[in-house]
Amino acid sequence: MAEHARVVSSQEDPLAATESGIIVPKGDLEDRILTSVVSAVLLEQEYGLRVLINITLESAHQAVVFKRIGVDPIRALMSSDSEVVQMLAAWLLAHLSLNQDNSKAVLESYVTESLIPLLKTSDNKDVLEKALWVVNNLSLNHSHSHILAAKPIVRPKASEDDPDPPNEGWGIIPVLSDMLLSQHPMVVAAAARPLVNLMHKDRCSSYATNQTIFVEAGAAPGQYAGIKKVVSILTRVYPPPPDDVILTLTSLLQVLSIYEDKYRLAIASSGVLSTLTGIISNPDTSEIAKVQALKVLFNLSLTPQTETIILESNGVIPLVLLMGTSYATHAMKRMALNTLAQLLGSDAVQAHLRASSLAKTLTEFLVEKAIPPATAEMIESTAVIIANAAADEYLREELVLAGTVPHVLKLTNDVNPQIAEAAAIALSNLEIPVPDNIKAEVATESSRPSLTRTLSTSEALGSHKEPLTIPGVTIMPIQGLPAPAIVPTPAPVMIAEPPAFGAPVTVSRRERVIQELLRTEQTYVQNLALCISVFLTPLVQTTRNPPLLDATKIGQIFLNIQDIYQVHAPFLQELVAQLEKLSTFESFPIGSVLQQFFSEPELAKAYSYYTFHFDAADVVLHEQIERNILFSKYLEKCSEHEHCGRLGLSSFLIQPIQRIPRYILLTNELLKNTPSSHPDHSSLQQALSTIKGVATILNEAKREAEHETKK
């Protein structure tokens, strides 16, 4: 669903009500509506509600139905003792609230008196989902959405004898904020969407007050508890947030970073920047989530005090690297360029980007900007980046050597005056002479042997015929560490072609989840292989004296990642081999395969060791990056490998920690979408229990490690 799309339905199709035996009344629309209203309101029957839900799928019918039923009967049904009736009533109100006149009337009816108790007390995720649809659709009425939030709920008395009205505090904002901590990802994403609308200047007149309420979250001013809450979810390792949660929470950070410097500084200081750059660099994250993360970085760059924080969090280099990747879309490159243009006015950022690939990347972009066509905004941003970068003598020489000048010269004649002006300034800066000592230093840097060489596709995941480090390397493992395994390229999973029938072939939810499991397993095994072959192998095989890293430090950082690879590579091969015997995913006995795999003692043993030592390994890694310049540069070169997707070593090492929770989520989803009559159902139940048992062992290992650290 799009970020602020109006919610009409979910995977549960309202038409399923008719397909499961309910017959929509015959006759004209008015008769059908009247019959259904009587059934729903007077008899509190699910039948009538389902029919009205189906009818109101048509936008033209929403006003007609609302005129007949009004809002009060639906609110009464939302307080029913039946959770099914609560869910259906909220679903119907969500449909009716898509009509602007209807939503105005609903908001003015003090509907929050019914919504807030429901959201606070229900533990039924289907009820919560439909109630949050109502909140989201009401938040789309931008001229009246302020009624939802930042207003004490005080309903006027009809007479002096009436009881005092209920007071639920400050509207819907605190309730939605609390729901961000839900265990159900769907609820988290659904709660975040209306928060984005209610805190946006163009979507709610009380946006500033709403932001204050959300950010303070009942804590003392200046604590920014709301921001810390969002960041804690985004940076969570176990279980990792799914893509829709990442998207909605980065959208929340984006809207909070639009208007106030203090909020930008709070977000930048929260520790979320490394997560944002990870989102940008992760090839598995959706494009729209990447763009949202880039928008947050751009907004943060508008406050000068955040520049140092962004630099210290390694948030600048990934923007440069993104420009050179094949997977980066136009929208991603546009945001990366805009952010770099903003940051490169800083001397510290200019110095940070020396000896990076900035000059080469910018020149290549100017050469290839017509494929696909770059926007005027992107070209102008590129010219601004070059102008600001050229203010630094070191970067100026790099830009000249990269052949940037002729391309900038062409831009000075561009028909767009902003582009021509920025290019003229860039050209003027590029023409300033560079001192000879700087020229010599740049020349020395550019001719220095690379710590790693680029591997061909055939070599990248296999044995290496040539060394990966500086000259003088022989293939001799350091004593005390196992020799690197020969890493095969995972075979592609082939999907059988659909039968040639006239009707379209549909893919069940179970099949889609199995496909997702296979796809993510391939990616995981491939990333383990890359970590070993690109990052670990050169360190193990080097005879350089002194080595970049001694054997003890190598063991402390990489732990037993080779053991984990040796566990998973045969598992992937088994998955592929079994699939090749079958014609469809539907009959794939995935439950028995998972049960057998997670029952292997080697798996629990390998992951327990890795989990116990992971935090300490992370500390050692970052200490070495800070203290060992050669090792730091080595890691940068490794991350530039064509198969690494610009991911750093930390991004690879954390993946075993994230993988087991992912199995739990996927197996849960498989079980939900496998009928009890399916032969794989009982195996999936056993597999889920076994996987959770492994997760419990790992959690205990983590607790033991934390206890050891505190001693």
Side-chain angles (χ1 to χ4, degrees):
M1 180 168 30
E3 176 192 346
H4 305 300
R6 299 184 172 192
V7 184
V8 176
S9 62
S10 72
Q11 295 172 357
E12 183 181 0
D13 187 345
L15 291 177
T18 59
E19 293 166 359
S20 62
I22 293 177
I23 302 172
V24 178
K26 301 294 182 183
D28 62 24
L29 179 64
E30 284 289 337
D31 289 341
R32 292 166 62 200
I33 292 173
L34 183 58
T35 303
S36 302
V37 167
V38 170
S39 169
V41 177
L42 298 183
L43 303 179
E44 203 172 288
Q45 288 183 347
E46 299 172 21
Y47 164 85
L49 286 168
R50 291 186 187 276
V51 172
L52 289 173
I53 289 169
N54 288 333
I55 291 172
T56 52
L57 280 170
E58 296 288 337
S59 58
H61 299 161
Q62 290 159 5
V64 180
V65 172
F66 189 77
K67 183 178 179 181
R68 277 285 189 182
I69 195 170
V71 66
D72 289 338
I74 303 177
R75 289 179 56 182
L77 292 172
M78 287 166 60
S79 301
S80 167
D81 292 335
S82 166
E83 289 185 333
V84 175
V85 172
Q86 289 177 0
M87 182 268 290
L88 293 172
W91 197 342
L92 174 59
L93 189 57
H95 280 197
L96 295 174
S97 299
L98 289 169
N99 178 284
Q100 289 290 291
D101 292 333
N102 291 355
S103 64
K104 177 177 179 290
V106 172
L107 285 163
E108 291 177 343
S109 76
Y110 300 91
V111 71
T112 41
E113 288 179 353
S114 300
L115 285 171
I116 289 177
L118 187 62
L119 292 171
K120 281 187 170 183
T121 60
S122 179
D123 56 2
N124 184 309
K125 68 182 180 66
D126 293 320
V127 173
L128 293 175
E129 179 187 35
K130 305 307 185 292
L132 288 168
W133 286 3
V134 177
V135 177
N136 186 72
N137 291 348
L138 293 174
S139 74
L140 294 169
N141 189 323
H142 301 159
S143 57
H144 294 83
S145 59
H146 62 276
I147 300 173
L148 276 173
K151 294 283 185 182
I153 304 169
V154 180
R155 188 174 184 137
K157 295 183 181 182
S159 69
E160 288 298 323
D161 297 329
D162 284 350
D164 289 333
N167 187 348
E168 291 287 350
W170 283 86
I172 206 84
I173 297 275
V175 181
L176 296 176
S177 176
D178 290 342
M179 296 183 78
L180 295 179
L181 298 177
S182 169
Q183 297 300 309
H184 302 294
M186 171 274 297
V187 173
V188 177
R193 291 186 186 99
L195 281 171
V196 172
N197 292 333
L198 292 170
M199 293 193 290
H200 197 291
K201 183 178 181 180
D202 297 335
R203 300 170 192 168
C204 187
S205 58
S206 61
Y207 78 96
T209 304
N210 297 345
Q211 286 202 356
T212 301
I213 294 169
F214 176 79
V215 169
E216 292 183 359
Q223 295 297 310
Y224 305 113
I227 290 174
K228 291 176 181 177
K229 182 185 297 182
V230 174
V231 170
S232 70
I233 302 167
L234 274 176
T235 56
R236 186 176 61 204
V237 175
Y238 179 79
D243 204 63
D244 58 341
V245 171
I246 291 173
L247 173 59
T248 50
L249 294 186
T250 49
S251 298
L252 259 180
L253 291 182
Q254 188 224 335
V255 77
L256 286 170
S257 63
I258 294 175
Y259 312 108
E260 296 275 357
D261 280 339
K262 61 182 180 182
Y263 294 160
R264 292 180 192 142
L265 192 56
I267 293 169
S269 305
S270 68
V272 77
L273 286 172
S274 59
T275 298
L276 292 176
T277 54
I279 291 169
I280 294 164
S281 304
N282 188 346
D284 288 335
T285 307
S286 67
E287 177 199 347
I288 189 170
K290 285 185 171 75
V291 171
Q292 283 302 123
L294 285 163
K295 287 179 179 178
V296 177
L297 280 176
F298 173 74
N299 288 349
L300 298 183
S301 72
L302 298 175
T303 297
Q305 298 96 311
T306 65
E307 288 174 355
T308 301
I309 303 172
I310 294 172
L311 271 178
E312 291 175 350
S313 302
N314 295 318
V316 179
I317 293 293
L319 298 174
V320 179
L321 299 177
L322 181 70
M323 293 300 301
T325 60
S326 57
Y327 67 79
T329 63
H330 232 45
M332 292 163 61
K333 289 186 177 182
R334 180 175 70 85
M335 291 310 307
L337 283 168
N338 289 345
T339 308
L340 283 170
Q342 183 67 33
L343 288 170
L344 264 162
S346 160
D347 292 344
V349 175
Q350 292 169 8
H352 182 72
L353 287 174
R354 294 172 181 174
S356 70
S357 57
L358 178 67
K360 179 183 176 183
T361 299
L362 292 174
T363 305
E364 288 176 350
F365 179 75
L366 290 178
V367 172
E368 300 171 0
K369 65 180 184 292
I371 314 170
T375 64
E377 178 191 7
M378 294 171 72
I379 298 172
E380 182 186 356
S381 294
T382 305
V384 169
I385 292 170
I386 293 171
N388 289 341
D392 179 89
E393 293 174 333
Y394 198 109
L395 289 176
R396 187 188 314 150
E397 180 65 10
E398 287 187 329
L399 287 164
V400 171
L401 291 176
T404 309
V405 174
H407 303 289
V408 174
L409 183 60
K410 289 180 182 178
L411 293 181
T412 59
N413 297 316
D414 198 278
V415 294
N416 185 307
Q418 285 82 16
I419 292 175
E421 181 181 357
I425 296 171
L427 187 63
S428 176
N429 287 349
L430 288 168
E431 290 174 344
I432 298 173
V434 176
D436 290 341
N437 63 317
I438 299 294
K439 285 186 176 183
E441 189 176 344
V442 173
T444 302
E445 183 67 32
S446 62
S447 62
R448 188 174 296 160
S450 173
L451 289 174
T452 62
R453 65 181 183 83
T454 301
L455 298 176
S456 67
T457 304
S458 61
E459 287 181 298
L461 299 176
S463 58
H464 305 299
K465 299 176 182 177
E466 297 178 33
L468 292 178
T469 59
I470 55 179
V473 175
T474 60
I475 301 176
M476 185 177 294
I478 296 175
Q479 190 174 3
L481 282 176
I486 303 300
V487 184
T489 304
V493 177
M494 305 302 294
I495 301 174
E497 291 191 11
F501 296 127
V505 177
T506 58
V507 179
S508 70
R509 176 65 180 163
R510 172 181 158 85
E511 289 179 283
R512 284 198 294 268
V513 179
I514 293 174
Q515 290 174 2
E516 174 69 6
L517 191 150
L518 288 167
R519 183 187 67 78
T520 56
E521 187 67 17
Q522 273 193 296
T523 302
Y524 180 50
V525 172
Q526 196 162 20
N527 285 343
L528 290 174
L530 283 168
C531 185
I532 294 166
S533 61
V534 175
F535 289 89
L536 174 58
T537 299
L539 293 173
V540 173
Q541 293 180 346
T542 185
T543 56
R544 182 178 184 272
N545 191 15
L548 289 178
L549 217 59
D550 63 43
T552 301
K553 290 290 188 294
I554 294 173
Q556 289 172 340
I557 291 171
F558 289 91
L559 303 174
N560 62 327
I561 197 164
Q562 288 178 300
D563 294 340
I564 293 176
Y565 169 78
Q566 295 288 8
V567 167
H568 279 270
F571 174 56
L572 177 60
Q573 292 171 356
E574 174 68 13
L575 286 175
V576 175
Q578 291 226 24
L579 182 63
E580 289 175 345
K581 301 174 185 176
L582 303 170
S583 58
T584 66
F585 280 98
E586 185 62 38
S587 57
F588 191 17
I590 187 67
S592 59
V593 175
L594 288 171
Q595 169 64 12
Q596 181 179 350
F597 176 56
F598 280 93
S599 298
E600 294 290 340
E602 289 81 5
L603 182 141
K605 181 180 178 182
Y607 274 95
S608 294
Y609 181 88
Y610 196 91
T611 303
F612 183 88
H613 294 283
F614 176 75
D615 287 342
D618 192 55
V619 171
V620 174
L621 172 61
H622 285 89
E623 284 178 350
Q624 292 303 310
I625 290 173
E626 291 177 6
R627 299 174 184 175
N628 189 335
I629 296 175
L630 279 179
F631 178 61
S632 177
K633 284 188 173 292
Y634 166 78
L635 293 184
E636 287 180 13
K637 292 291 185 182
C638 288
S639 68
E640 293 172 9
H641 184 277
E642 59 180 326
H643 292 287
C644 286
R646 309 294 181 180
L647 293 178
L649 178 57
S650 294
S651 298
F652 287 99
L653 293 178
I654 199 173
Q655 290 186 28
I657 301 297
Q658 299 170 331
R659 188 58 186 163
I660 301 299
R662 182 70 170 167
Y663 287 121
I664 294 176
L665 292 174
L666 289 169
T667 309
N668 249 324
E669 195 67 19
L670 274 170
L671 192 56
K672 284 194 302 182
N673 292 279
T674 301
S676 57
S677 58
H678 195 288
D680 199 35
H681 189 270
S682 60
S683 296
L684 279 170
Q685 288 179 316
Q686 294 174 13
L688 182 58
S689 176
T690 303
I691 299 170
K692 286 182 176 179
V694 172
T696 300
I697 293 171
L698 302 189
N699 285 337
E700 184 59 33
K702 183 174 178 58
R703 281 192 291 271
E704 288 178 11
E706 291 171 350
H707 179 70
E708 289 290 327
T709 304
K710 293 176 183 177
K711 284 184 178 180

